[in-house]
Amino acid sequence: MGDPAQLGREFADARAEVHESLKTVAVAAGVSAAYLQKLERGQVETPSPRILRALGAHLNIPYRRLMELAGYEVPARANAIQGALGRTLATASLSQSEERAVAAFVEHLVDRRAGSRRRAR
C-alpha cells in the first residue's frame, strides 16, 4: 500500500525547491492545478503512473521513487545498485535534491541509450 501523504510531501517539497506555482507545474505535467493540489495534500490514493512520470520529469523526482510511494510494485532487481556507482552513492551523503538530480541524470542516460538503439534498427 502506498503512502499518499508522503507522496504529497515529495511533490510539494520538490515544487517549493524549484519555486514554481501549482498551476505552472500542473500545466507542464498535463494535469489540473486542483488535481496537483489534491496530490500534494495526500488526497489521491492511486495516481496514475502516467501522471507520476510527467510530474516526476518536470520536478526532477525519480519515477521509481514516485511509483514506490504510490504503492506500485517495483521490481527488486531495479532497487539494487551495484558496482562503482553503488559504492560511490553509498558513501556520498547526498541531499534529497542531489539524489533527485543524480537519478534524473541516470534516467536520461538510459533513455538516451534506448533512443540510440531504436534509431540503429
Side-chain angles (χ1 to χ4, degrees), residues 4-51:
Q6 188 175 354
L7 179 64
R9 282 190 302 276
E10 189 80 18
F11 283 128
D13 290 348
R15 188 172 60 79
E17 200 169 288
V18 296
H19 307 290
E20 291 188 358
S21 69
L22 275 167
K23 184 175 181 175
T24 300
V25 173
V27 167
V31 300
S32 71
Y35 183 80
L36 178 56
Q37 187 173 44
K38 285 181 179 182
L39 272 172
E40 288 188 2
R41 290 179 177 170
Q43 297 172 335
V44 179
E45 290 293 321
T46 312
S48 85
R50 181 194 64 77
I51 290 172

mmCIF file of all heavy atoms in Angstrom, residues 4-51:
data_model
loop_
_atom_site.group_PDB
_atom_site.id
_atom_site.type_symbol
_atom_site.label_atom_id
_atom_site.label_comp_id
_atom_site.label_asym_id
_atom_site.label_seq_id
_atom_site.Cartn_x
_atom_site.Cartn_y
_atom_site.Cartn_z
ATOM 1 N N PRO A 4 -0.003 8.097 0.493
ATOM 2 C CA PRO A 4 -0.369 9.329 -0.210
ATOM 3 C C PRO A 4 0.173 10.595 0.449
ATOM 4 O O PRO A 4 0.535 11.545 -0.247
ATOM 5 C CB PRO A 4 -1.902 9.318 -0.182
ATOM 6 C CG PRO A 4 -2.284 7.898 0.047
ATOM 7 C CD PRO A 4 -1.170 7.294 0.856
ATOM 8 N N ALA A 5 0.250 10.616 1.777
ATOM 9 C CA ALA A 5 0.752 11.809 2.469
ATOM 10 C C ALA A 5 2.226 12.038 2.154
ATOM 11 O O ALA A 5 2.650 13.161 1.878
ATOM 12 C CB ALA A 5 0.539 11.683 3.969
ATOM 13 N N GLN A 6 3.014 10.968 2.177
ATOM 14 C CA GLN A 6 4.440 11.101 1.876
ATOM 15 C C GLN A 6 4.651 11.462 0.404
ATOM 16 O O GLN A 6 5.502 12.283 0.069
ATOM 17 C CB GLN A 6 5.193 9.819 2.229
ATOM 18 C CG GLN A 6 6.691 9.977 2.118
ATOM 19 C CD GLN A 6 7.452 8.739 2.583
ATOM 20 O OE1 GLN A 6 6.870 7.786 3.092
ATOM 21 N NE2 GLN A 6 8.744 8.755 2.392
ATOM 22 N N LEU A 7 3.855 10.861 -0.465
ATOM 23 C CA LEU A 7 3.927 11.194 -1.886
ATOM 24 C C LEU A 7 3.616 12.677 -2.081
ATOM 25 O O LEU A 7 4.320 13.386 -2.807
ATOM 26 C CB LEU A 7 2.949 10.334 -2.687
ATOM 27 C CG LEU A 7 2.888 10.592 -4.186
ATOM 28 C CD1 LEU A 7 4.217 10.271 -4.861
ATOM 29 C CD2 LEU A 7 1.758 9.771 -4.803
ATOM 30 N N GLY A 8 2.595 13.151 -1.399
ATOM 31 C CA GLY A 8 2.219 14.562 -1.486
ATOM 32 C C GLY A 8 3.321 15.483 -1.008
ATOM 33 O O GLY A 8 3.600 16.516 -1.632
ATOM 34 N N ARG A 9 3.951 15.112 0.104
ATOM 35 C CA ARG A 9 5.074 15.928 0.617
ATOM 36 C C ARG A 9 6.217 15.968 -0.392
ATOM 37 O O ARG A 9 6.867 16.997 -0.569
ATOM 38 C CB ARG A 9 5.554 15.390 1.966
ATOM 39 C CG ARG A 9 4.665 15.773 3.134
ATOM 40 C CD ARG A 9 5.298 15.424 4.469
ATOM 41 N NE ARG A 9 5.616 14.011 4.617
ATOM 42 C CZ ARG A 9 4.743 13.064 5.017
ATOM 43 N NH1 ARG A 9 3.506 13.391 5.306
ATOM 44 N NH2 ARG A 9 5.121 11.806 5.123
ATOM 45 N N GLU A 10 6.469 14.842 -1.031
ATOM 46 C CA GLU A 10 7.541 14.774 -2.038
ATOM 47 C C GLU A 10 7.278 15.787 -3.156
ATOM 48 O O GLU A 10 8.170 16.533 -3.561
ATOM 49 C CB GLU A 10 7.631 13.360 -2.605
ATOM 50 C CG GLU A 10 8.821 13.122 -3.490
ATOM 51 C CD GLU A 10 10.109 12.863 -2.738
ATOM 52 O OE1 GLU A 10 10.090 12.527 -1.539
ATOM 53 O OE2 GLU A 10 11.174 12.997 -3.381
ATOM 54 N N PHE A 11 6.036 15.813 -3.647
ATOM 55 C CA PHE A 11 5.686 16.767 -4.703
ATOM 56 C C PHE A 11 5.765 18.207 -4.204
ATOM 57 O O PHE A 11 6.319 19.071 -4.876
ATOM 58 C CB PHE A 11 4.286 16.484 -5.254
ATOM 59 C CG PHE A 11 4.220 15.310 -6.188
ATOM 60 C CD1 PHE A 11 3.300 14.299 -5.980
ATOM 61 C CD2 PHE A 11 5.069 15.213 -7.273
ATOM 62 C CE1 PHE A 11 3.230 13.217 -6.842
ATOM 63 C CE2 PHE A 11 5.019 14.134 -8.142
ATOM 64 C CZ PHE A 11 4.084 13.138 -7.924
ATOM 65 N N ALA A 12 5.202 18.460 -3.039
ATOM 66 C CA ALA A 12 5.193 19.828 -2.505
ATOM 67 C C ALA A 12 6.611 20.329 -2.258
ATOM 68 O O ALA A 12 6.937 21.482 -2.599
ATOM 69 C CB ALA A 12 4.368 19.884 -1.220
ATOM 70 N N ASP A 13 7.460 19.486 -1.682
ATOM 71 C CA ASP A 13 8.844 19.884 -1.416
ATOM 72 C C ASP A 13 9.596 20.174 -2.717
ATOM 73 O O ASP A 13 10.328 21.159 -2.817
ATOM 74 C CB ASP A 13 9.586 18.803 -0.626
ATOM 75 C CG ASP A 13 9.104 18.665 0.805
ATOM 76 O OD1 ASP A 13 8.347 19.548 1.282
ATOM 77 O OD2 ASP A 13 9.459 17.650 1.453
ATOM 78 N N ALA A 14 9.409 19.296 -3.704
ATOM 79 C CA ALA A 14 10.107 19.482 -4.981
ATOM 80 C C ALA A 14 9.615 20.743 -5.688
ATOM 81 O O ALA A 14 10.402 21.490 -6.267
ATOM 82 C CB ALA A 14 9.903 18.258 -5.872
ATOM 83 N N ARG A 15 8.320 20.997 -5.608
ATOM 84 C CA ARG A 15 7.762 22.197 -6.251
ATOM 85 C C ARG A 15 8.284 23.457 -5.566
ATOM 86 O O ARG A 15 8.665 24.431 -6.221
ATOM 87 C CB ARG A 15 6.229 22.152 -6.215
ATOM 88 C CG ARG A 15 5.591 23.259 -7.017
ATOM 89 C CD ARG A 15 4.091 23.075 -7.129
ATOM 90 N NE ARG A 15 3.422 23.065 -5.836
ATOM 91 C CZ ARG A 15 3.125 24.144 -5.129
ATOM 92 N NH1 ARG A 15 3.446 25.350 -5.584
ATOM 93 N NH2 ARG A 15 2.499 24.048 -3.969
ATOM 94 N N ALA A 16 8.357 23.421 -4.237
ATOM 95 C CA ALA A 16 8.892 24.565 -3.495
ATOM 96 C C ALA A 16 10.366 24.791 -3.834
ATOM 97 O O ALA A 16 10.824 25.929 -3.940
ATOM 98 C CB ALA A 16 8.723 24.343 -1.993
ATOM 99 N N GLU A 17 11.076 23.699 -4.024
ATOM 100 C CA GLU A 17 12.505 23.789 -4.336
ATOM 101 C C GLU A 17 12.765 24.484 -5.676
ATOM 102 O O GLU A 17 13.752 25.200 -5.828
ATOM 103 C CB GLU A 17 13.093 22.374 -4.366
ATOM 104 C CG GLU A 17 14.569 22.326 -4.202
ATOM 105 C CD GLU A 17 15.038 20.902 -3.973
ATOM 106 O OE1 GLU A 17 14.802 20.359 -2.887
ATOM 107 O OE2 GLU A 17 15.639 20.346 -4.913
ATOM 108 N N VAL A 18 11.867 24.276 -6.639
ATOM 109 C CA VAL A 18 12.051 24.916 -7.942
ATOM 110 C C VAL A 18 11.292 26.233 -8.046
ATOM 111 O O VAL A 18 11.305 26.883 -9.093
ATOM 112 C CB VAL A 18 11.652 23.973 -9.114
ATOM 113 C CG1 VAL A 18 12.563 22.767 -9.166
ATOM 114 C CG2 VAL A 18 10.200 23.571 -9.039
ATOM 115 N N HIS A 19 10.614 26.634 -6.957
ATOM 116 C CA HIS A 19 9.907 27.915 -6.874
ATOM 117 C C HIS A 19 8.883 28.081 -7.994
ATOM 118 O O HIS A 19 8.849 29.111 -8.673
ATOM 119 C CB HIS A 19 10.886 29.090 -6.892
ATOM 120 C CG HIS A 19 11.956 28.999 -5.868
ATOM 121 N ND1 HIS A 19 11.713 29.154 -4.525
ATOM 122 C CD2 HIS A 19 13.279 28.721 -5.980
ATOM 123 C CE1 HIS A 19 12.842 28.990 -3.856
ATOM 124 N NE2 HIS A 19 13.807 28.731 -4.712
ATOM 125 N N GLU A 20 8.055 27.042 -8.187
ATOM 126 C CA GLU A 20 7.016 27.106 -9.212
ATOM 127 C C GLU A 20 5.641 26.984 -8.577
ATOM 128 O O GLU A 20 5.469 26.304 -7.571
ATOM 129 C CB GLU A 20 7.210 26.017 -10.263
ATOM 130 C CG GLU A 20 8.430 26.244 -11.129
ATOM 131 C CD GLU A 20 8.530 25.274 -12.291
ATOM 132 O OE1 GLU A 20 7.673 24.381 -12.429
ATOM 133 O OE2 GLU A 20 9.484 25.408 -13.067
ATOM 134 N N SER A 21 4.669 27.611 -9.179
ATOM 135 C CA SER A 21 3.295 27.574 -8.681
ATOM 136 C C SER A 21 2.641 26.239 -9.010
ATOM 137 O O SER A 21 3.114 25.494 -9.877
ATOM 138 C CB SER A 21 2.477 28.701 -9.310
ATOM 139 O OG SER A 21 2.276 28.444 -10.693
ATOM 140 N N LEU A 22 1.538 25.971 -8.320
ATOM 141 C CA LEU A 22 0.745 24.780 -8.635
ATOM 142 C C LEU A 22 0.372 24.772 -10.114
ATOM 143 O O LEU A 22 0.515 23.756 -10.794
ATOM 144 C CB LEU A 22 -0.547 24.756 -7.797
ATOM 145 C CG LEU A 22 -0.475 24.176 -6.403
ATOM 146 C CD1 LEU A 22 -1.740 24.520 -5.628
ATOM 147 C CD2 LEU A 22 -0.289 22.679 -6.450
ATOM 148 N N LYS A 23 -0.091 25.913 -10.596
ATOM 149 C CA LYS A 23 -0.559 25.997 -11.976
ATOM 150 C C LYS A 23 0.570 25.725 -12.970
ATOM 151 O O LYS A 23 0.386 24.994 -13.936
ATOM 152 C CB LYS A 23 -1.190 27.356 -12.240
ATOM 153 C CG LYS A 23 -1.787 27.453 -13.624
ATOM 154 C CD LYS A 23 -2.524 28.746 -13.845
ATOM 155 C CE LYS A 23 -3.113 28.744 -15.246
ATOM 156 N NZ LYS A 23 -3.937 29.899 -15.509
ATOM 157 N N THR A 24 1.730 26.304 -12.733
ATOM 158 C CA THR A 24 2.863 26.115 -13.646
ATOM 159 C C THR A 24 3.244 24.643 -13.749
ATOM 160 O O THR A 24 3.420 24.107 -14.849
ATOM 161 C CB THR A 24 4.081 26.933 -13.170
ATOM 162 O OG1 THR A 24 3.720 28.312 -13.132
ATOM 163 C CG2 THR A 24 5.277 26.741 -14.084
ATOM 164 N N VAL A 25 3.357 23.981 -12.609
ATOM 165 C CA VAL A 25 3.731 22.561 -12.600
ATOM 166 C C VAL A 25 2.616 21.720 -13.214
ATOM 167 O O VAL A 25 2.880 20.805 -14.002
ATOM 168 C CB VAL A 25 4.069 22.092 -11.167
ATOM 169 C CG1 VAL A 25 4.295 20.590 -11.124
ATOM 170 C CG2 VAL A 25 5.293 22.835 -10.648
ATOM 171 N N ALA A 26 1.389 22.033 -12.863
ATOM 172 C CA ALA A 26 0.256 21.266 -13.383
ATOM 173 C C ALA A 26 0.190 21.336 -14.907
ATOM 174 O O ALA A 26 0.034 20.308 -15.577
ATOM 175 C CB ALA A 26 -1.040 21.769 -12.760
ATOM 176 N N VAL A 27 0.322 22.535 -15.444
ATOM 177 C CA VAL A 27 0.278 22.700 -16.897
ATOM 178 C C VAL A 27 1.412 21.916 -17.553
ATOM 179 O O VAL A 27 1.209 21.216 -18.549
ATOM 180 C CB VAL A 27 0.335 24.200 -17.287
ATOM 181 C CG1 VAL A 27 0.601 24.389 -18.772
ATOM 182 C CG2 VAL A 27 -0.961 24.892 -16.883
ATOM 183 N N ALA A 28 2.604 22.011 -17.004
ATOM 184 C CA ALA A 28 3.756 21.306 -17.573
ATOM 185 C C ALA A 28 3.561 19.790 -17.562
ATOM 186 O O ALA A 28 4.041 19.095 -18.452
ATOM 187 C CB ALA A 28 5.025 21.675 -16.806
ATOM 188 N N ALA A 29 2.854 19.288 -16.556
ATOM 189 C CA ALA A 29 2.649 17.844 -16.427
ATOM 190 C C ALA A 29 1.347 17.372 -17.061
ATOM 191 O O ALA A 29 1.082 16.169 -17.108
ATOM 192 C CB ALA A 29 2.672 17.449 -14.956
ATOM 193 N N GLY A 30 0.527 18.299 -17.521
ATOM 194 C CA GLY A 30 -0.721 17.915 -18.174
ATOM 195 C C GLY A 30 -1.830 17.515 -17.216
ATOM 196 O O GLY A 30 -2.663 16.671 -17.551
ATOM 197 N N VAL A 31 -1.837 18.099 -16.025
ATOM 198 C CA VAL A 31 -2.905 17.848 -15.056
ATOM 199 C C VAL A 31 -3.475 19.190 -14.617
ATOM 200 O O VAL A 31 -2.897 20.239 -14.898
ATOM 201 C CB VAL A 31 -2.412 17.052 -13.812
ATOM 202 C CG1 VAL A 31 -1.862 15.695 -14.223
ATOM 203 C CG2 VAL A 31 -1.366 17.827 -13.023
ATOM 204 N N SER A 32 -4.589 19.148 -13.908
ATOM 205 C CA SER A 32 -5.152 20.406 -13.410
ATOM 206 C C SER A 32 -4.451 20.805 -12.114
ATOM 207 O O SER A 32 -3.918 19.957 -11.389
ATOM 208 C CB SER A 32 -6.653 20.256 -13.155
ATOM 209 O OG SER A 32 -6.886 19.429 -12.034
ATOM 210 N N ALA A 33 -4.483 22.095 -11.832
ATOM 211 C CA ALA A 33 -3.902 22.583 -10.578
ATOM 212 C C ALA A 33 -4.649 21.989 -9.387
ATOM 213 O O ALA A 33 -4.043 21.685 -8.357
ATOM 214 C CB ALA A 33 -3.935 24.107 -10.542
ATOM 215 N N ALA A 34 -5.957 21.802 -9.532
ATOM 216 C CA ALA A 34 -6.753 21.214 -8.448
ATOM 217 C C ALA A 34 -6.307 19.781 -8.158
ATOM 218 O O ALA A 34 -6.210 19.375 -6.993
ATOM 219 C CB ALA A 34 -8.235 21.256 -8.795
ATOM 220 N N TYR A 35 -6.030 19.026 -9.220
ATOM 221 C CA TYR A 35 -5.575 17.641 -9.032
ATOM 222 C C TYR A 35 -4.206 17.618 -8.357
ATOM 223 O O TYR A 35 -3.977 16.841 -7.428
ATOM 224 C CB TYR A 35 -5.526 16.901 -10.372
ATOM 225 C CG TYR A 35 -5.142 15.452 -10.214
ATOM 226 C CD1 TYR A 35 -6.088 14.512 -9.821
ATOM 227 C CD2 TYR A 35 -3.840 15.020 -10.429
ATOM 228 C CE1 TYR A 35 -5.747 13.179 -9.664
ATOM 229 C CE2 TYR A 35 -3.491 13.698 -10.272
ATOM 230 C CZ TYR A 35 -4.448 12.774 -9.890
ATOM 231 O OH TYR A 35 -4.092 11.453 -9.722
ATOM 232 N N LEU A 36 -3.302 18.481 -8.800
ATOM 233 C CA LEU A 36 -1.980 18.542 -8.183
ATOM 234 C C LEU A 36 -2.095 18.931 -6.715
ATOM 235 O O LEU A 36 -1.398 18.369 -5.859
ATOM 236 C CB LEU A 36 -1.065 19.527 -8.927
ATOM 237 C CG LEU A 36 0.335 19.710 -8.359
ATOM 238 C CD1 LEU A 36 1.078 18.382 -8.239
ATOM 239 C CD2 LEU A 36 1.126 20.701 -9.204
ATOM 240 N N GLN A 37 -2.984 19.849 -6.410
ATOM 241 C CA GLN A 37 -3.185 20.246 -5.015
ATOM 242 C C GLN A 37 -3.686 19.063 -4.181
ATOM 243 O O GLN A 37 -3.223 18.847 -3.059
ATOM 244 C CB GLN A 37 -4.167 21.405 -4.935
ATOM 245 C CG GLN A 37 -4.307 21.977 -3.543
ATOM 246 C CD GLN A 37 -5.164 23.225 -3.533
ATOM 247 O OE1 GLN A 37 -6.216 23.267 -4.167
ATOM 248 N NE2 GLN A 37 -4.695 24.244 -2.830
ATOM 249 N N LYS A 38 -4.585 18.266 -4.739
ATOM 250 C CA LYS A 38 -5.067 17.069 -4.036
ATOM 251 C C LYS A 38 -3.922 16.085 -3.825
ATOM 252 O O LYS A 38 -3.811 15.467 -2.765
ATOM 253 C CB LYS A 38 -6.198 16.399 -4.807
ATOM 254 C CG LYS A 38 -7.508 17.121 -4.708
ATOM 255 C CD LYS A 38 -8.593 16.387 -5.470
ATOM 256 C CE LYS A 38 -9.912 17.099 -5.348
ATOM 257 N NZ LYS A 38 -10.984 16.379 -6.042
ATOM 258 N N LEU A 39 -3.076 15.923 -4.831
ATOM 259 C CA LEU A 39 -1.906 15.044 -4.685
ATOM 260 C C LEU A 39 -1.021 15.520 -3.540
ATOM 261 O O LEU A 39 -0.601 14.724 -2.696
ATOM 262 C CB LEU A 39 -1.085 15.018 -5.975
ATOM 263 C CG LEU A 39 -1.434 14.009 -7.045
ATOM 264 C CD1 LEU A 39 -0.629 14.272 -8.301
ATOM 265 C CD2 LEU A 39 -1.221 12.599 -6.560
ATOM 266 N N GLU A 40 -0.729 16.809 -3.537
ATOM 267 C CA GLU A 40 0.153 17.363 -2.501
ATOM 268 C C GLU A 40 -0.458 17.247 -1.108
ATOM 269 O O GLU A 40 0.281 17.137 -0.126
ATOM 270 C CB GLU A 40 0.494 18.819 -2.813
ATOM 271 C CG GLU A 40 1.444 18.975 -3.967
ATOM 272 C CD GLU A 40 1.930 20.401 -4.157
ATOM 273 O OE1 GLU A 40 1.553 21.290 -3.363
ATOM 274 O OE2 GLU A 40 2.707 20.627 -5.102
ATOM 275 N N ARG A 41 -1.751 17.246 -1.017
ATOM 276 C CA ARG A 41 -2.426 17.106 0.277
ATOM 277 C C ARG A 41 -2.597 15.645 0.699
ATOM 278 O O ARG A 41 -3.132 15.371 1.768
ATOM 279 C CB ARG A 41 -3.797 17.774 0.230
ATOM 280 C CG ARG A 41 -3.739 19.277 0.165
ATOM 281 C CD ARG A 41 -5.127 19.857 0.109
ATOM 282 N NE ARG A 41 -5.084 21.310 0.109
ATOM 283 C CZ ARG A 41 -6.128 22.074 -0.127
ATOM 284 N NH1 ARG A 41 -7.319 21.535 -0.358
ATOM 285 N NH2 ARG A 41 -6.004 23.381 -0.106
ATOM 286 N N GLY A 42 -2.176 14.725 -0.160
ATOM 287 C CA GLY A 42 -2.299 13.304 0.162
ATOM 288 C C GLY A 42 -3.710 12.774 0.001
ATOM 289 O O GLY A 42 -4.082 11.774 0.600
ATOM 290 N N GLN A 43 -4.495 13.417 -0.856
ATOM 291 C CA GLN A 43 -5.895 13.048 -1.038
ATOM 292 C C GLN A 43 -6.137 12.154 -2.251
ATOM 293 O O GLN A 43 -7.277 11.843 -2.556
ATOM 294 C CB GLN A 43 -6.752 14.312 -1.151
ATOM 295 C CG GLN A 43 -6.720 15.157 0.095
ATOM 296 C CD GLN A 43 -7.410 16.498 -0.093
ATOM 297 O OE1 GLN A 43 -7.512 17.014 -1.206
ATOM 298 N NE2 GLN A 43 -7.878 17.063 1.006
ATOM 299 N N VAL A 44 -5.083 11.752 -2.938
ATOM 300 C CA VAL A 44 -5.224 10.863 -4.091
ATOM 301 C C VAL A 44 -4.608 9.525 -3.714
ATOM 302 O O VAL A 44 -3.404 9.432 -3.488
ATOM 303 C CB VAL A 44 -4.539 11.448 -5.349
ATOM 304 C CG1 VAL A 44 -4.685 10.493 -6.526
ATOM 305 C CG2 VAL A 44 -5.108 12.820 -5.688
ATOM 306 N N GLU A 45 -5.435 8.504 -3.633
ATOM 307 C CA GLU A 45 -4.976 7.180 -3.196
ATOM 308 C C GLU A 45 -4.112 6.472 -4.246
ATOM 309 O O GLU A 45 -3.114 5.867 -3.909
ATOM 310 C CB GLU A 45 -6.183 6.295 -2.844
ATOM 311 C CG GLU A 45 -6.905 6.726 -1.597
ATOM 312 C CD GLU A 45 -6.087 6.543 -0.326
ATOM 313 O OE1 GLU A 45 -5.380 5.529 -0.208
ATOM 314 O OE2 GLU A 45 -6.164 7.437 0.545
ATOM 315 N N THR A 46 -4.523 6.532 -5.522
ATOM 316 C CA THR A 46 -3.816 5.795 -6.559
ATOM 317 C C THR A 46 -3.634 6.653 -7.809
ATOM 318 O O THR A 46 -4.389 6.519 -8.774
ATOM 319 C CB THR A 46 -4.595 4.503 -6.920
ATOM 320 O OG1 THR A 46 -4.955 3.815 -5.742
ATOM 321 C CG2 THR A 46 -3.747 3.577 -7.776
ATOM 322 N N PRO A 47 -2.637 7.525 -7.800
ATOM 323 C CA PRO A 47 -2.398 8.334 -9.008
ATOM 324 C C PRO A 47 -1.886 7.448 -10.141
ATOM 325 O O PRO A 47 -1.243 6.425 -9.903
ATOM 326 C CB PRO A 47 -1.329 9.323 -8.564
ATOM 327 C CG PRO A 47 -0.661 8.684 -7.401
ATOM 328 C CD PRO A 47 -1.690 7.806 -6.743
ATOM 329 N N SER A 48 -2.191 7.835 -11.350
ATOM 330 C CA SER A 48 -1.773 7.004 -12.484
ATOM 331 C C SER A 48 -0.258 7.105 -12.690
ATOM 332 O O SER A 48 0.343 8.160 -12.458
ATOM 333 C CB SER A 48 -2.502 7.425 -13.759
ATOM 334 O OG SER A 48 -1.848 8.490 -14.391
ATOM 335 N N PRO A 49 0.346 6.018 -13.143
ATOM 336 C CA PRO A 49 1.780 6.057 -13.452
ATOM 337 C C PRO A 49 2.129 7.124 -14.483
ATOM 338 O O PRO A 49 3.182 7.736 -14.410
ATOM 339 C CB PRO A 49 2.064 4.650 -13.989
ATOM 340 C CG PRO A 49 1.054 3.797 -13.299
ATOM 341 C CD PRO A 49 -0.187 4.649 -13.245
ATOM 342 N N ARG A 50 1.236 7.379 -15.433
ATOM 343 C CA ARG A 50 1.487 8.406 -16.448
ATOM 344 C C ARG A 50 1.638 9.779 -15.796
ATOM 345 O O ARG A 50 2.549 10.542 -16.119
ATOM 346 C CB ARG A 50 0.346 8.438 -17.467
ATOM 347 C CG ARG A 50 0.546 9.475 -18.565
ATOM 348 C CD ARG A 50 -0.717 9.739 -19.365
ATOM 349 N NE ARG A 50 -1.799 10.322 -18.593
ATOM 350 C CZ ARG A 50 -1.854 11.615 -18.226
ATOM 351 N NH1 ARG A 50 -0.899 12.447 -18.547
ATOM 352 N NH2 ARG A 50 -2.882 12.076 -17.542
ATOM 353 N N ILE A 51 0.774 10.072 -14.845
ATOM 354 C CA ILE A 51 0.843 11.354 -14.147
ATOM 355 C C ILE A 51 2.095 11.416 -13.280
ATOM 356 O O ILE A 51 2.772 12.442 -13.222
ATOM 357 C CB ILE A 51 -0.438 11.592 -13.322
ATOM 358 C CG1 ILE A 51 -1.607 11.857 -14.278
ATOM 359 C CG2 ILE A 51 -0.262 12.744 -12.340
ATOM 360 C CD1 ILE A 51 -2.968 11.919 -13.619
#
